[in-house]
Amino acid sequence: MLVVLALTLLIVDSRLRVLEPVRGAVAIALYPFQRAVMAPRDLVSQVDEWVNAANLIRTENEALQRQRIELAQVSSHAAQLAAENAQLRRLLGVADASPAPAVVVEVLYEPPDAFQQRLVFNKGSRAGLAAGMPVIDEGGVVGQIVRTTPMTAEAALVTDERVSIPVQVLRNGLRLIAFGANTPGTIEVRYLAANADIREGDTMVTSGVGGLFPAGLPVGRVTAVQRDTSSGFARALAEPLAHPERYRHFLVLQADVAQARSNQQEADGDGPQ
């Protein structure tokens, strides 16, 4: 009887569609139960989507942070290269104007010595460098080579107390000897006559005496003049015009050190006995 009833309902429904409202009512009644049964599956799926979304956001955030850092490094490196390129162009201009051949050197490191102000360069005697050669940048005289190895060279800055440079006052041509001062970052001129014509703001350039430093290279600007009328002497302090702390590349002028020493020995031999 049930089979006959089922077959009868199938035929009637397929032919007349009279059971459609009943099917709709049954579907509406069963819908809450269907949702209740599928709720755990939906909850698991939603939690999984949240976890995946959080991981995706975290990954993208890390990628963006890494990209930002890399771009910042690239930008900083590009700015550094641009600054070094500009400085090298200025050095080339100085080299073209210099009467002596020059070698471009780069700072390897700065020796940690509070009593000596030195720089170590990446070229040495194999590149033609020798002790006594002057080191310059676009601002003027940086220092002087004091020691070389086949691959490196050590230079003392003009503010090192062991360095002395023949200079002259640009304003009036007064010839002097500039020494590194005891005060860091300062040059001094010692044993001046108390009435020497030197004043604050005067620019000192190399005089060319001695043959090592070509004439006309800027050395420093006078910042103070101390006159002692009781002793009859004066002392001038100056700040260097070169800035070795700002740059990594410098020029070493390949002066004829042997000839300069020979001239100095001859001059000393011609002096009073």
Side-chain angles (χ1 to χ4, degrees):
M1 291 176 60
L2 293 175
V3 171
V4 172
L5 178 61
L7 292 174
T8 303
L9 291 175
L10 287 172
I11 295 171
V12 171
D13 183 54
S14 62
R15 298 280 184 163
L16 302 177
R17 302 289 182 181
V18 296
L19 296 179
E20 201 61 41
V22 177
R23 185 182 292 107
V26 173
I28 293 173
L30 292 179
Y31 180 77
F33 298 100
Q34 293 174 344
R35 297 301 302 172
V37 171
M38 292 187 296
R41 185 206 66 177
D42 295 340
L43 179 61
V44 171
S45 299
Q46 190 172 8
V47 171
D48 187 55
E49 291 178 359
W50 287 345
V51 172
N52 291 337
N55 291 333
L56 180 61
I57 292 173
R58 186 182 302 108
T59 303
E60 291 180 350
N61 189 31
E62 291 176 354
L64 289 174
Q65 292 289 344
R66 183 169 59 253
Q67 185 178 12
R68 181 182 61 83
I69 294 173
E70 291 174 353
L71 289 176
Q73 292 177 348
V74 170
S75 177
S76 177
H77 186 60
Q80 180 183 6
L81 290 178
E84 289 182 355
N85 187 34
Q87 195 230 349
L88 288 174
R89 288 179 180 274
R90 293 193 296 268
L91 283 178
L92 290 176
V94 174
D96 292 340
S98 173
V103 176
V104 178
V105 295
E106 182 179 0
V107 176
L108 279 180
Y109 63 91
E110 185 175 355
D113 191 340
F115 301 99
Q116 295 181 344
Q117 302 179 49
R118 304 288 175 91
L119 293 176
V120 176
F121 299 129
N122 64 338
K123 296 180 181 179
S125 57
R126 286 188 179 181
L129 306 187
M133 291 182 177
V135 183
I136 66 172
D137 66 6
E138 65 270 22
V141 178
V142 172
Q144 189 174 24
I145 301 294
V146 295
R147 186 181 297 109
T148 61
T149 67
M151 303 301 295
T152 63
E154 183 176 350
L157 303 182
V158 292
T159 53
D160 192 298
E161 59 182 4
R162 299 186 182 183
V163 175
S164 59
I165 303 175
V167 298
Q168 65 182 117
V169 178
L170 188 61
R171 176 175 54 85
N172 54 17
L174 178 65
R175 289 193 300 273
L176 308 165
I177 302 293
F179 299 87
N182 294 327
T183 305
T186 306
I187 306 172
E188 66 176 349
V189 179
R190 309 166 186 167
Y191 313 120
L192 289 170
N195 60 349
D197 186 12
I198 186 171
R199 65 185 70 165
E200 293 184 16
D202 280 343
T203 299
M204 296 187 299
V205 299
T206 52
S207 62
V209 176
L212 283 178
F213 291 87
L217 296 176
V219 177
R221 181 174 291 105
V222 177
T223 57
V225 179
Q226 303 171 355
R227 304 182 188 274
D228 188 351
T229 55
S230 60
S231 63
F233 291 101
R235 174 172 173 261
L237 300 178
E239 62 178 1
L241 293 177
H243 299 284
E245 73 281 359
R246 299 182 184 177
Y247 305 119
R248 294 172 50 202
H249 297 88
F250 302 94
L251 286 180
V252 178
L253 301 182
Q254 293 179 300
D256 192 344
V257 178
Q259 183 63 36
R261 290 176 178 173
S262 176
N263 295 339
Q264 183 63 36
Q265 290 176 357
E266 292 178 1
D268 294 341
D270 294 338
Q273 303 294 325

